[in-house]
Amino acid sequence: MVCALGMALGAIAPGLAAAGQTDSVRSVADNAAPDKTSQDKTSQDQDKDEGLVIEPKELPATYPHGPYQVNFHARGNYVPVLRWRVESGALPPGIKLEDNGVLHGEAERAGEFQFVVAVRDGGQPQQAMQKGFVIKVVEAITLAWKVPAHVTGNRIDGSVEVSNTTADDMDLTFEVKAVNENGRATEIGYQHFPLKKGTIGMALPFGETLPHGAYTVYVDVNGEIAKRNAIYKEQMKTPAALQVVVGP
């Protein structure tokens, strides 16, 4: 009987040891597992410490007569309702900031506009925060020389690059005229076609044979977006007259 009892105890002991190891592992895992409630509280405490934080961090660019809307908001510990205003600087003409934080409108002209936005909450005393922003209003059409107008024998040739920075396709008219010293204009380039949205640096060549004379070259591009009743224009000209000395 003593021998049987010893054997029984020997069989139970490994099970007890294994159970003890399992409990130990579970205890370590429980201690290592993050407490979600604790994490949420830490995040809330961080927001409380930060006070009002104005978002977004930056504002998107736009173009003249392009629809624009951004909703300012704040995070942190505050008392509703938030009130917004432009504290200093200037918004692009055509864009305004509402009291509820909605920035919207259509910019009237290109440029870079810097301003400071202020927000106040409904607490007593009030919390307030300010943040500086920049809105870049880029030209809807950009026009640049690719190969500047030049004389080759009895011809004037060249090319330009045109871009459509808007979010819409536009109906583009491209015209190039050479005007002599007497004011007579000769067309040396013309195209009319749809310029797709987002087109960057499309090359447009021009050139023609001309009579003897001194010519100033004018390049005009007109882009129309009919659905928004918007027309964009750009012009370039040669800095000095080009002399054609060989007749056709």
Side-chain angles (χ1 to χ4, degrees):
M1 180 179 293
V2 172
C3 181
L5 179 60
M7 292 175 64
L9 291 173
I12 294 171
L16 292 174
Q21 290 176 352
T22 302
D23 291 342
S24 176
V25 171
R26 184 180 299 112
S27 176
V28 171
D30 290 344
N31 289 336
D35 186 338
K36 186 177 186 306
T37 302
S38 176
Q39 284 182 333
D40 292 343
K41 186 176 186 303
T42 300
S43 177
Q44 292 172 359
D45 289 344
Q46 287 175 346
D47 284 346
K48 183 175 180 180
D49 292 340
E50 287 179 341
L52 284 174
V53 178
I54 295 175
E55 294 181 331
K57 292 182 179 180
E58 298 178 345
L59 295 176
T62 185
Y63 52 89
H65 308 295
Y68 191 83
Q69 180 168 322
V70 174
N71 296 326
F72 282 114
H73 61 277
R75 60 179 173 84
N77 185 45
Y78 63 86
V79 178
V81 174
L82 296 177
R83 302 296 183 189
W84 301 81
R85 71 178 187 184
V86 176
E87 190 70 20
S88 61
L91 293 172
I95 292 179
K96 63 180 180 178
L97 175 62
E98 302 291 354
D99 183 62
N100 63 358
V102 177
L103 182 69
H104 67 105
E106 295 184 1
E108 296 176 2
R109 61 181 175 85
E112 186 171 299
F113 301 86
Q114 300 183 9
F115 57 96
V116 174
V117 168
V119 61
R120 290 174 173 80
D121 74 353
Q124 293 295 334
Q126 285 185 319
Q127 288 190 86
M129 182 59 63
Q130 298 183 2
K131 183 176 175 60
F133 289 96
V134 176
I135 295 180
K136 293 182 178 179
V137 184
V138 299
E139 295 288 358
I141 292 179
T142 62
L143 179 66
W145 294 111
K146 181 175 178 65
V147 178
H150 59 281
V151 177
T152 303
N154 60 354
R155 289 180 59 87
I156 291 181
D157 293 283
S159 63
V160 300
E161 291 182 332
V162 64
S163 300
N164 175 4
T165 65
T166 76
D168 298 293
D169 297 345
M170 63 174 62
D171 189 45
L172 189 82
T173 301
F174 165 68
E175 291 184 291
V176 186
K177 293 182 179 180
V179 181
N180 69 8
E181 61 268 37
N182 297 321
R184 179 182 176 182
T186 302
E187 187 171 84
I188 63 173
Y190 178 86
Q191 293 189 51
H192 183 200
F193 62 95
L195 183 63
K196 298 297 184 182
K197 62 184 179 182
T199 299
I200 303 297
M202 173 180 281
L204 300 176
F206 60 87
E208 188 58 81
T209 300
L210 294 167
H212 180 280
Y215 294 88
T216 300
V217 176
Y218 293 85
V219 181
D220 290 276
V221 291
N222 295 326
E224 180 180 5
I225 301 176
K227 68 180 182 181
R228 292 199 288 102
N229 196 30
I231 297 177
Y232 303 101
K233 298 182 179 183
E234 289 293 324
Q235 184 185 76
M236 293 192 308
K237 70 174 184 176
T238 50
L242 302 177
Q243 188 71 44
V244 176
V245 295
V246 179

